[in-house]
């Protein structure tokens, strides 16, 4: 019954947000509460929801201060030289713009943080998309697709969880998967090319003043907030923060708080200027952070009622014995819907050990199951439970459901390519 209730809850939730009946934030709050009441968990619902909110609090704080940190640097003009270079290369050709977007997002994703990727990529490319008439939804889709493949990096999170959950080394899990990751990168570039061709057919190649667009490519157009004399300092601060994030010197929330405090104090020492910069990003920050805490209620109730465990067990138990020798491939395939419908922590710490145990019964090494579990990650980033994706759709002014409708098929394509590469090269056994 718990498994059925969990499946029904997710189905109802997806229908509501993808048909536009409810906003994602309201659905994240209302749907789990209704199903918790149906399941008879009314008296325990409060602590479950609170536990979920506590679990996402560090992420919410991190994204809040990441928005403020990169907002300050964008306003100060730190990314203007990069933006001008990109604009000169891609010009007004939608195909070049789409591919340039993918390359930029893939490179920035090397730090493993989706928030950073979206802040920089969208800030750099959105004015250009608007200027020549390309749909901002494509920009969001290309960025999330690139980040979905690069999410396999060990410091991105999921790979580290696999190593921790199954007590494995990086050489057991990540290193063998690199060829699959390359396959995913090539697919993202192919996707960008296809989408760019469609846009070129729709709007053509546009001639325009590149310099004028470059000046608008930051969030603000006011020259008085630019700080060209501090650009070297701002670059050094950004690089230092990214290195600290990769090395995990401190929790990411703390690092972004420190980075924001330094950035705003040095660039805008006047209190009135600081208040103005914070207010400039308050709307965006509030909408994203509120969504994150709403997602905490959803995950808290899903985990607290043990619907997640019941769903995982029901799926594992229904795998026929004759398919046992293909358990690694099965794990790779089901990792996409599992990481879509539950948090990474729930899947990698809760479900993956069960999958590894089941695979061992068929003689499959846990390391192979661990590798397979990573291949569904491109789909994961389109989950309504991923906080940074709300930041992405908020920045481009699009609807979350529209992003899912347009790019879930491409995310499944990325996953399929990575699985095929893994099978062909023997990274996981067929």
């Amino acid at each position: 019954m718990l498994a059925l209730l969990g499946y029904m809850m997710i189905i109802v939730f997806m229908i509501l947000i993808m048909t536009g009946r409810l906003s994602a934030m309201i659905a994240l709050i209302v749907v789990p509460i209704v199903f918790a009441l149906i399941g008879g968990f009314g008296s325990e619902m409060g602590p479950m929801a609170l536990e979920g909110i506590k679990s996402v609090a560090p992420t919410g704080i991190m994204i809040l201060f990441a928005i403020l940190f990169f907002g300050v640097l964008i306003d100060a003009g730190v990314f203007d030289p990069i933006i001008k270079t990109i604009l000169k290369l891609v010009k007004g050709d939608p195909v070049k713009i789409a591919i340039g977007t993918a390359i930029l997002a893939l490179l920035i994703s090397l730090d493993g943080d989706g928030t950073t990727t979206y802040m920089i990529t969208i800030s750099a490319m959105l004015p250009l998309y608007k200027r020549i008439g390309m749909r901002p939804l494509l920009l969001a889709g290309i960025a999330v697709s690139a980040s979905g493949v690069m999410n396999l990096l060990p410091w991105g999170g999921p790979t580290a969880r696999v190593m921790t959950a199954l007590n494995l080394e990086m050489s057991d899990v990540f290193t063998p998967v690199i060829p699959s990751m390359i396959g995913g990168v090539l697919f993202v570039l192919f996707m960008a090319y296809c989408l760019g061709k469609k846009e070129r057919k729709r709007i053509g190649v546009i001639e325009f003043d590149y310099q004028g667009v470059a000046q608008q490519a930051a969030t603000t157009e006011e020259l008085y907030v630019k700080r060209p004399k501090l650009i070297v300092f701002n670059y050094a601060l950004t690089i230092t923060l990214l290195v600290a994030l990769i090395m995990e010197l401190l929790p990411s929330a703390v690092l972004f708080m420190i980075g924001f405090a330094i950035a705003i104090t040095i660039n805008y020492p006047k209190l009135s200027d600081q208040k103005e910069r914070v207010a400039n990003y308050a709307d965006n920050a509030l909408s994203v952070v509120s969504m994150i805490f709403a997602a905490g209620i959803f995950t808290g109730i899903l985990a607290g009622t043990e619907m997640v465990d019941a769903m995982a067990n029901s799926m594992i138990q229904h795998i026929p014995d004759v398919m046992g020798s293909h358990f690694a491939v099965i794990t790779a395939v089901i990792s996409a819907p599992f990481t879509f419908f539950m948090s990474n922590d729930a899947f990698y710490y809760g479900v993956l050990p069960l999958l590894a145990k089941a695979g061992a019964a068929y003689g499959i090494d846990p390391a192979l199951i661990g590798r397979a579990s990573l291949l569904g990650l491109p789909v994961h980033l389109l989950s309504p439970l991923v906080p940074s994706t709300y930041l992405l759709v908020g920045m481009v002014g699009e609807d979350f459901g529209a992003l899912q409708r347009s790019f879930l098929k491409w995310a499944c394509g990325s996953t399929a390519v990575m699985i095929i590469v893994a099978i062909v090269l023997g990274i996981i056994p067929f």
Side-chain angles (χ1 to χ4, degrees):
M1 282 300 295
L2 274 179
L4 181 61
L5 199 64
Y7 287 127
M8 288 299 298
M9 182 172 82
I10 289 168
I11 290 169
V12 169
F13 173 78
M14 294 304 299
I15 290 174
L16 287 173
I17 65 168
M18 294 189 77
T19 58
R21 299 290 179 86
L22 286 179
S23 68
M25 182 174 71
I26 301 303
L28 284 166
I29 297 170
V30 173
V31 172
I33 289 175
V34 169
F35 276 86
L37 292 172
I38 292 172
F41 296 99
S43 60
E44 307 162 54
M45 185 174 61
M48 291 176 188
L50 188 59
E51 192 62 34
I53 293 170
K54 288 179 182 177
S55 70
V56 300
T59 302
I61 295 168
M62 184 269 289
I63 287 183
L64 170 62
F65 283 94
I67 291 171
L68 296 175
F69 173 77
F70 284 107
V72 167
L73 295 186
I74 290 164
D75 286 351
V78 72
F79 299 113
D80 288 359
I82 300 172
I83 294 165
K84 289 176 183 177
T85 302
I86 293 170
L87 292 176
K88 287 178 183 177
L89 292 174
V90 302
K91 298 186 178 178
D93 186 347
V95 173
K96 291 180 180 179
I97 292 169
I99 294 174
T101 301
I103 293 171
L104 179 63
L106 288 165
L107 290 175
I108 298 172
S109 293
L110 286 170
D111 79 331
D113 180 50
T115 302
T116 307
T117 301
Y118 302 149
M119 288 290 294
I120 297 176
T121 304
I122 305 307
S123 299
M125 303 302 292
L126 185 58
L128 177 58
Y129 274 67
K130 288 183 174 179
R131 174 65 181 80
I132 71 169
M134 289 181 69
R135 291 176 294 159
L137 185 65
L138 297 186
L139 171 57
I142 293 171
V144 77
S145 300
S147 189
V149 174
M150 300 302 284
N151 201 28
L152 273 74
L153 290 167
W155 49 87
T159 301
R161 289 180 175 89
V162 171
M163 293 187 291
T164 303
L166 300 182
N167 195 25
L168 299 169
E169 300 295 328
M170 189 183 298
S171 58
D172 299 321
V173 180
F174 174 69
T175 307
V177 175
I178 290 175
S180 284
M181 195 171 168
I182 294 171
V185 167
L186 293 175
F187 182 82
V188 169
L189 293 173
F190 169 73
M191 177 197 74
Y193 172 78
C194 293
L195 295 173
K197 282 200 73 174
K198 286 183 179 180
E199 288 295 274
R200 182 200 277 171
K201 185 177 180 181
R202 186 175 67 88
I203 62 175
V205 177
I206 308 297
E207 296 295 333
F208 63 96
D209 176 16
Y210 308 118
Q211 188 67 28
V213 174
Q215 290 175 353
Q216 299 177 28
T219 301
T220 178
E221 297 178 15
E222 291 87 350
L223 293 177
Y224 75 91
V225 301
K226 302 292 184 184
R227 296 294 184 265
K229 293 181 180 179
L230 292 172
I231 194 164
V232 174
F233 167 80
N234 286 328
Y235 275 128
L237 177 61
T238 304
I239 293 169
T240 301
L241 177 61
L242 295 180
V243 170
L245 286 167
I246 292 170
M247 296 179 65
E248 298 182 353
L249 296 181
L250 290 171
S252 56
V254 177
L255 286 172
F256 273 113
M257 292 173 78
I258 294 171
F260 164 69
I262 295 172
I264 199 166
T265 301
I266 299 299
N267 285 279
Y268 305 102
K270 293 183 180 179
L271 289 180
S272 58
D273 290 341
Q274 291 180 10
K275 289 179 181 178
E276 185 180 359
R277 291 303 95 214
V278 172
N280 192 47
Y281 290 94
D283 287 346
N284 189 28
L286 178 62
S287 63
V288 173
V289 173
S290 60
M291 195 80 72
I292 291 168
F293 286 112
I297 293 179
F298 189 98
T299 56
I301 291 177
L302 195 63
T305 57
E306 297 185 351
M307 291 183 196
V308 166
D309 298 333
M311 290 162 66
N313 285 326
S314 70
M315 184 169 285
I316 293 169
Q317 289 171 3
H318 284 84
I319 296 173
D321 288 340
V322 72
M323 299 293 290
S325 60
H326 307 295
F327 204 79
V329 176
I330 292 171
T331 299
V333 172
I334 67 174
S335 68
F338 264 83
T339 55
F340 184 84
F341 291 126
M342 63 181 69
S343 68
N344 274 338
D345 286 336
F347 177 70
Y348 288 109
Y349 293 132
V351 178
L352 181 60
L354 297 176
L355 294 173
K357 196 171 183 180
Y362 298 108
I364 299 174
D365 192 290
L368 300 175
I369 299 296
R371 295 174 198 171
S373 71
L374 293 171
L375 302 179
L377 285 174
V379 176
H380 166 70
L381 285 193
L382 285 170
S383 166
L385 304 179
V386 178
S388 60
T389 311
Y390 293 110
L391 168 65
L392 174 66
V393 293
M395 289 189 72
V396 298
E398 292 288 346
D399 179 66
F400 196 101
L403 181 69
Q404 289 180 323
R405 287 192 296 272
S406 298
F407 284 92
L408 261 177
K409 58 180 178 290
W410 291 107
C412 292
S414 292
T415 291
V417 167
M418 292 201 296
I419 292 174
I420 291 169
V421 172
I423 293 171
V424 171
L425 298 181
I427 297 168
I428 61 172
F430 181 72

